[in-house]
Amino acid sequence: LGEQSRQERHALVVMTDGRDVNSTAKLDEVIQLARQRETPIHTIGLGEAGKHQPVRTMLVLDKSGSMLDRGKISSLKKAATRYIDLLPERGAETSLITFSSVVSSAEEFSADKARLRRKVQAIQPSGDTAIYDGLWEALETMNAARVSQQGPAPREALILLTDGLDNRSRHQPDEIVERAKQDNVRIFTLGLGTGREVDTRVLSGLAQETGGQFFHVESQDRLTDVFEELSIALHDDGIDEQ
């Protein structure tokens, strides 16, 4: 529109049914440009108004030795980075835990995207697979953050990615489900590999029992799309009227 004749009146009509979680342009930049171009923007919000409830998520990522196969670790890093890039500027924080034979300690929840990206890029695969211990540590970390929470209680979710079968955990799936239900934490599970490489029954059960969703990702090329879908879905709670 900026290239049209100044003698014409310009206007934009925008209709949306959700909150923006994907743009690279900033709201203030758009408003400033519209003013410069003398172009009014008429907005239509279709649906319920957003509650602006904060969202807290934890990435629980498999870094066992098998993640070195066929470039899976590179796909994981790309996908997790995409998830972080799509976090809204306000009201969203995340952290990540990695697991192999042992489980890493989680850092505090953060909205610092650069810091989170560095954490992802530093992942180095080795060892066996302790899926359930990783989930248990993530739930413990969520609980610790909840105890010190100030302000509105956030919606909480865990996102688990694994490419194998658990062979190291002390905890069991039933314990994870019971604790997640008690804490009102949804678990979204991603099984990377064929049906013989991942336990689709257990992963599906963890998701269904806690109100999450299971994704069987047989092709690692699709991993980024799934993480993108999750980031948008988890943080989109309605129209941003402001």
Side-chain angles (χ1 to χ4, degrees):
L1 288 177
E3 298 176 358
Q4 304 299 317
S5 168
R6 280 282 186 174
Q7 296 177 349
E8 298 174 343
R9 289 187 299 154
H10 303 156
L12 296 179
V13 180
V14 181
M15 183 172 72
T16 181
D17 69 342
R19 181 175 65 176
D20 190 302
V21 294
N22 204 20
S23 289
T24 55
K26 306 298 183 185
L27 175 60
D28 291 343
E29 295 173 342
V30 173
I31 292 173
Q32 182 180 2
L33 184 58
R35 285 174 171 166
Q36 290 173 354
R37 301 286 170 82
E38 298 180 353
T39 302
I41 302 176
H42 304 275
T43 55
I44 302 170
L46 181 63
E48 296 290 331
K51 302 177 181 63
H52 297 283
Q53 184 179 7
V55 179
R56 178 180 293 144
T57 57
M58 172 78 76
L59 301 178
V60 186
L61 305 177
D62 191 337
K63 67 164 190 175
S64 60
S66 59
M67 289 296 294
L68 288 169
D69 297 343
R70 305 188 302 276
K72 285 187 285 188
I73 190 61
S74 297
S75 297
L76 177 152
K77 290 181 179 181
K78 179 182 176 183
T81 298
R82 180 61 174 158
Y83 178 90
I84 291 165
D85 288 342
L86 290 176
L87 292 174
E89 295 300 322
R90 301 184 304 274
E93 59 180 9
T94 193
S95 185
L96 64 101
I97 279 177
T98 58
F99 62 88
S100 54
S101 300
V102 296
V103 179
S104 70
S105 298
E107 297 183 1
E108 63 183 18
F109 289 93
S110 173
D112 185 338
K113 295 184 181 182
R115 173 183 171 186
L116 292 166
R117 290 190 202 101
R118 288 194 296 270
K119 184 81 172 175
V120 168
Q121 294 303 318
I123 297 174
Q124 297 295 328
S126 65
D128 291 328
T129 308
I131 298 171
Y132 312 131
D133 286 357
L135 287 170
W136 186 266
E137 180 66 21
L139 289 168
E140 288 280 275
T141 305
M142 283 279 194
N143 184 63
R146 199 178 303 119
V147 169
S148 59
Q149 173 72 32
Q150 296 181 346
R155 290 181 289 139
E156 298 176 331
L158 303 182
I159 301 171
L160 166 73
L161 169 68
T162 183
D163 75 330
L165 307 174
D166 190 294
N167 53 19
R168 277 283 180 168
S169 289
R170 295 176 292 108
H171 295 282
Q172 297 299 316
D174 290 347
E175 295 179 76
I176 303 301
V177 168
E178 182 179 354
R179 178 68 182 276
K181 284 183 174 180
Q182 176 184 320
D183 293 345
N184 198 27
V185 177
R186 291 182 294 166
I187 301 178
F188 295 80
T189 56
L190 288 76
L192 178 59
T194 67
R196 289 182 294 181
E197 293 173 314
V198 295
D199 193 332
T200 57
R201 182 186 62 82
V202 170
L203 294 178
S204 178
L206 287 168
Q208 291 178 4
E209 290 289 331
T210 60
Q213 189 174 354
F214 168 59
F215 300 85
H216 189 188
V217 187
E218 296 194 52
S219 170
Q220 62 199 51
D221 295 333
R222 186 172 168 262
L223 200 56
T224 298
D225 293 338
V226 175
F227 269 78
E228 180 176 287
E229 178 183 335
L230 277 171
S231 189
I232 293 173
L234 286 170
H235 296 96
D236 185 6
D237 70 343
I239 300 164
D240 187 342
E241 291 185 312
Q242 182 179 356

